[in-house]
PDB file of all heavy atoms in Angstrom:
ATOM      1  N   LYS A 761     -28.764  14.911   0.668  1.00 93.00           N
ATOM      2  CA  LYS A 761     -27.832  14.846   1.755  1.00 93.00           C
ATOM      3  C   LYS A 761     -26.565  13.862   1.429  1.00 93.00           C
ATOM      4  O   LYS A 761     -26.000  13.438   2.379  1.00 93.00           O
ATOM      5  CB  LYS A 761     -28.524  14.357   3.035  1.00 93.00           C
ATOM      6  CG  LYS A 761     -29.391  15.446   3.587  1.00 93.00           C
ATOM      7  CD  LYS A 761     -29.910  15.049   5.015  1.00 93.00           C
ATOM      8  CE  LYS A 761     -30.898  16.098   5.545  1.00 93.00           C
ATOM      9  NZ  LYS A 761     -31.501  15.654   6.680  1.00 93.00           N
ATOM     10  N   ALA A 762     -26.390  13.699   0.137  1.00 96.00           N
ATOM     11  CA  ALA A 762     -25.347  12.794  -0.325  1.00 96.00           C
ATOM     12  C   ALA A 762     -24.616  13.461  -1.545  1.00 96.00           C
ATOM     13  O   ALA A 762     -24.876  13.076  -2.610  1.00 96.00           O
ATOM     14  CB  ALA A 762     -25.697  11.414  -0.611  1.00 96.00           C
ATOM     15  N   PRO A 763     -23.849  14.538  -1.272  1.00 96.00           N
ATOM     16  CA  PRO A 763     -23.137  15.209  -2.351  1.00 96.00           C
ATOM     17  C   PRO A 763     -22.427  14.332  -3.248  1.00 96.00           C
ATOM     18  O   PRO A 763     -21.762  13.465  -2.756  1.00 96.00           O
ATOM     19  CB  PRO A 763     -22.221  16.289  -1.700  1.00 96.00           C
ATOM     20  CG  PRO A 763     -22.819  16.341  -0.322  1.00 96.00           C
ATOM     21  CD  PRO A 763     -23.333  15.086   0.029  1.00 96.00           C
ATOM     22  N   TRP A 764     -22.487  14.595  -4.658  1.00 96.00           N
ATOM     23  CA  TRP A 764     -21.859  13.820  -5.618  1.00 96.00           C
ATOM     24  C   TRP A 764     -20.330  13.759  -5.571  1.00 96.00           C
ATOM     25  O   TRP A 764     -19.640  12.739  -5.776  1.00 96.00           O
ATOM     26  CB  TRP A 764     -22.211  14.000  -7.013  1.00 96.00           C
ATOM     27  CG  TRP A 764     -21.761  15.359  -7.531  1.00 96.00           C
ATOM     28  CD1 TRP A 764     -22.165  16.549  -7.495  1.00 96.00           C
ATOM     29  CD2 TRP A 764     -20.406  15.439  -8.225  1.00 96.00           C
ATOM     30  NE1 TRP A 764     -21.346  17.393  -8.048  1.00 96.00           N
ATOM     31  CE2 TRP A 764     -20.317  16.760  -8.426  1.00 96.00           C
ATOM     32  CE3 TRP A 764     -19.430  14.587  -8.540  1.00 96.00           C
ATOM     33  CZ2 TRP A 764     -19.150  17.344  -9.114  1.00 96.00           C
ATOM     34  CZ3 TRP A 764     -18.279  15.117  -9.152  1.00 96.00           C
ATOM     35  CH2 TRP A 764     -18.137  16.372  -9.614  1.00 96.00           C
ATOM     36  N   HIS A 765     -19.763  14.916  -4.984  1.00 96.00           N
ATOM     37  CA  HIS A 765     -18.324  14.903  -4.764  1.00 96.00           C
ATOM     38  C   HIS A 765     -17.838  13.835  -3.818  1.00 96.00           C
ATOM     39  O   HIS A 765     -16.864  13.109  -4.167  1.00 96.00           O
ATOM     40  CB  HIS A 765     -18.030  16.325  -4.208  1.00 96.00           C
ATOM     41  CG  HIS A 765     -18.088  17.510  -5.144  1.00 96.00           C
ATOM     42  ND1 HIS A 765     -19.367  18.058  -5.304  1.00 96.00           N
ATOM     43  CD2 HIS A 765     -17.216  18.119  -5.825  1.00 96.00           C
ATOM     44  CE1 HIS A 765     -19.141  19.108  -6.257  1.00 96.00           C
ATOM     45  NE2 HIS A 765     -17.953  19.123  -6.541  1.00 96.00           N
ATOM     46  N   PHE A 766     -18.456  13.711  -2.718  1.00 97.00           N
ATOM     47  CA  PHE A 766     -18.150  12.704  -1.718  1.00 97.00           C
ATOM     48  C   PHE A 766     -18.414  11.422  -2.281  1.00 97.00           C
ATOM     49  O   PHE A 766     -17.573  10.455  -1.993  1.00 97.00           O
ATOM     50  CB  PHE A 766     -18.952  12.895  -0.391  1.00 97.00           C
ATOM     51  CG  PHE A 766     -18.471  13.990   0.534  1.00 97.00           C
ATOM     52  CD1 PHE A 766     -19.305  14.558   1.438  1.00 97.00           C
ATOM     53  CD2 PHE A 766     -17.210  14.535   0.327  1.00 97.00           C
ATOM     54  CE1 PHE A 766     -18.934  15.620   2.170  1.00 97.00           C
ATOM     55  CE2 PHE A 766     -16.762  15.601   1.168  1.00 97.00           C
ATOM     56  CZ  PHE A 766     -17.627  16.138   2.098  1.00 97.00           C
ATOM     57  N   ARG A 767     -19.456  11.155  -3.010  1.00 97.00           N
ATOM     58  CA  ARG A 767     -19.786   9.788  -3.459  1.00 97.00           C
ATOM     59  C   ARG A 767     -18.833   9.369  -4.485  1.00 97.00           C
ATOM     60  O   ARG A 767     -18.369   8.171  -4.568  1.00 97.00           O
ATOM     61  CB  ARG A 767     -21.257   9.790  -3.983  1.00 97.00           C
ATOM     62  CG  ARG A 767     -22.335   9.906  -3.073  1.00 97.00           C
ATOM     63  CD  ARG A 767     -23.592  10.577  -3.634  1.00 97.00           C
ATOM     64  NE  ARG A 767     -24.251   9.819  -4.597  1.00 97.00           N
ATOM     65  CZ  ARG A 767     -25.242  10.301  -5.231  1.00 97.00           C
ATOM     66  NH1 ARG A 767     -25.670  11.503  -5.024  1.00 97.00           N
ATOM     67  NH2 ARG A 767     -25.796   9.574  -6.181  1.00 97.00           N
ATOM     68  N   LEU A 768     -18.420  10.370  -5.414  1.00 96.00           N
ATOM     69  CA  LEU A 768     -17.473   9.933  -6.466  1.00 96.00           C
ATOM     70  C   LEU A 768     -16.127   9.547  -5.785  1.00 96.00           C
ATOM     71  O   LEU A 768     -15.402   8.618  -6.191  1.00 96.00           O
ATOM     72  CB  LEU A 768     -17.253  10.983  -7.414  1.00 96.00           C
ATOM     73  CG  LEU A 768     -16.316  10.813  -8.576  1.00 96.00           C
ATOM     74  CD1 LEU A 768     -16.820  11.326  -9.856  1.00 96.00           C
ATOM     75  CD2 LEU A 768     -14.921  11.396  -8.342  1.00 96.00           C
ATOM     76  N   MET A 769     -15.756  10.265  -4.669  1.00 96.00           N
ATOM     77  CA  MET A 769     -14.414  10.073  -4.054  1.00 96.00           C
ATOM     78  C   MET A 769     -14.311   8.686  -3.528  1.00 96.00           C
ATOM     79  O   MET A 769     -13.202   8.166  -3.464  1.00 96.00           O
ATOM     80  CB  MET A 769     -14.246  11.031  -2.901  1.00 96.00           C
ATOM     81  CG  MET A 769     -14.089  12.540  -3.480  1.00 96.00           C
ATOM     82  SD  MET A 769     -14.288  13.737  -2.203  1.00 96.00           S
ATOM     83  CE  MET A 769     -12.999  13.291  -1.021  1.00 96.00           C
ATOM     84  N   THR A 770     -15.424   8.097  -3.127  1.00 95.00           N
ATOM     85  CA  THR A 770     -15.315   6.743  -2.561  1.00 95.00           C
ATOM     86  C   THR A 770     -14.799   5.671  -3.636  1.00 95.00           C
ATOM     87  O   THR A 770     -14.403   4.590  -3.281  1.00 95.00           O
ATOM     88  CB  THR A 770     -16.669   6.209  -2.082  1.00 95.00           C
ATOM     89  OG1 THR A 770     -17.713   6.133  -3.120  1.00 95.00           O
ATOM     90  CG2 THR A 770     -17.232   7.135  -0.990  1.00 95.00           C
ATOM     91  N   LEU A 771     -14.986   5.978  -4.914  1.00 93.00           N
ATOM     92  CA  LEU A 771     -14.493   5.148  -5.791  1.00 93.00           C
ATOM     93  C   LEU A 771     -13.029   4.914  -5.864  1.00 93.00           C
ATOM     94  O   LEU A 771     -12.418   3.965  -6.454  1.00 93.00           O
ATOM     95  CB  LEU A 771     -14.923   5.503  -7.311  1.00 93.00           C
ATOM     96  CG  LEU A 771     -16.503   5.607  -7.575  1.00 93.00           C
ATOM     97  CD1 LEU A 771     -16.745   5.857  -9.007  1.00 93.00           C
ATOM     98  CD2 LEU A 771     -17.141   4.286  -7.076  1.00 93.00           C
ATOM     99  N   ALA A 772     -12.264   5.853  -5.231  1.00 93.00           N
ATOM    100  CA  ALA A 772     -10.877   5.834  -5.065  1.00 93.00           C
ATOM    101  C   ALA A 772     -10.400   4.636  -4.485  1.00 93.00           C
ATOM    102  O   ALA A 772      -9.197   4.071  -4.537  1.00 93.00           O
ATOM    103  CB  ALA A 772     -10.365   7.075  -4.410  1.00 93.00           C
ATOM    104  N   ALA A 773     -11.400   3.967  -3.614  1.00 92.00           N
ATOM    105  CA  ALA A 773     -10.911   2.769  -2.875  1.00 92.00           C
ATOM    106  C   ALA A 773     -11.236   1.487  -3.555  1.00 92.00           C
ATOM    107  O   ALA A 773     -10.916   0.434  -3.063  1.00 92.00           O
ATOM    108  CB  ALA A 773     -11.678   2.766  -1.514  1.00 92.00           C
ATOM    109  N   MET A 774     -11.891   1.600  -4.779  1.00 89.00           N
ATOM    110  CA  MET A 774     -12.213   0.435  -5.537  1.00 89.00           C
ATOM    111  C   MET A 774     -11.089   0.051  -6.519  1.00 89.00           C
ATOM    112  O   MET A 774     -10.197   0.895  -6.797  1.00 89.00           O
ATOM    113  CB  MET A 774     -13.453   0.715  -6.351  1.00 89.00           C
ATOM    114  CG  MET A 774     -14.761   0.791  -5.520  1.00 89.00           C
ATOM    115  SD  MET A 774     -16.281   0.858  -6.545  1.00 89.00           S
ATOM    116  CE  MET A 774     -17.471   0.977  -5.287  1.00 89.00           C
ATOM    117  N   VAL A 775     -11.072  -1.220  -6.955  1.00 82.00           N
ATOM    118  CA  VAL A 775     -10.190  -1.592  -7.989  1.00 82.00           C
ATOM    119  C   VAL A 775     -10.904  -2.047  -9.221  1.00 82.00           C
ATOM    120  O   VAL A 775     -12.080  -2.291  -9.154  1.00 82.00           O
ATOM    121  CB  VAL A 775      -9.330  -2.887  -7.375  1.00 82.00           C
ATOM    122  CG1 VAL A 775      -8.555  -2.457  -6.215  1.00 82.00           C
ATOM    123  CG2 VAL A 775     -10.304  -4.036  -6.910  1.00 82.00           C
ATOM    124  N   GLY A 776     -10.139  -2.077 -10.278  1.00 77.00           N
ATOM    125  CA  GLY A 776     -10.766  -2.421 -11.532  1.00 77.00           C
ATOM    126  C   GLY A 776     -11.379  -3.817 -11.607  1.00 77.00           C
ATOM    127  O   GLY A 776     -12.339  -4.167 -12.455  1.00 77.00           O
ATOM    128  N   SER A 777     -10.887  -4.724 -10.782  1.00 82.00           N
ATOM    129  CA  SER A 777     -11.593  -5.990 -10.768  1.00 82.00           C
ATOM    130  C   SER A 777     -12.985  -6.080 -10.358  1.00 82.00           C
ATOM    131  O   SER A 777     -13.621  -7.052 -10.557  1.00 82.00           O
ATOM    132  CB  SER A 777     -10.734  -7.067  -9.839  1.00 82.00           C
ATOM    133  OG  SER A 777     -10.704  -6.486  -8.480  1.00 82.00           O
TER     134      SER A 777
END
Side-chain angles (χ1 to χ4, degrees):
K761 289 186 181 175
W764 73 268
H765 290 80
F766 283 161
R767 290 153 62 187
L768 183 140
M769 289 164 66
T770 62
L771 299 188
M774 291 188 182
V775 294
S777 60

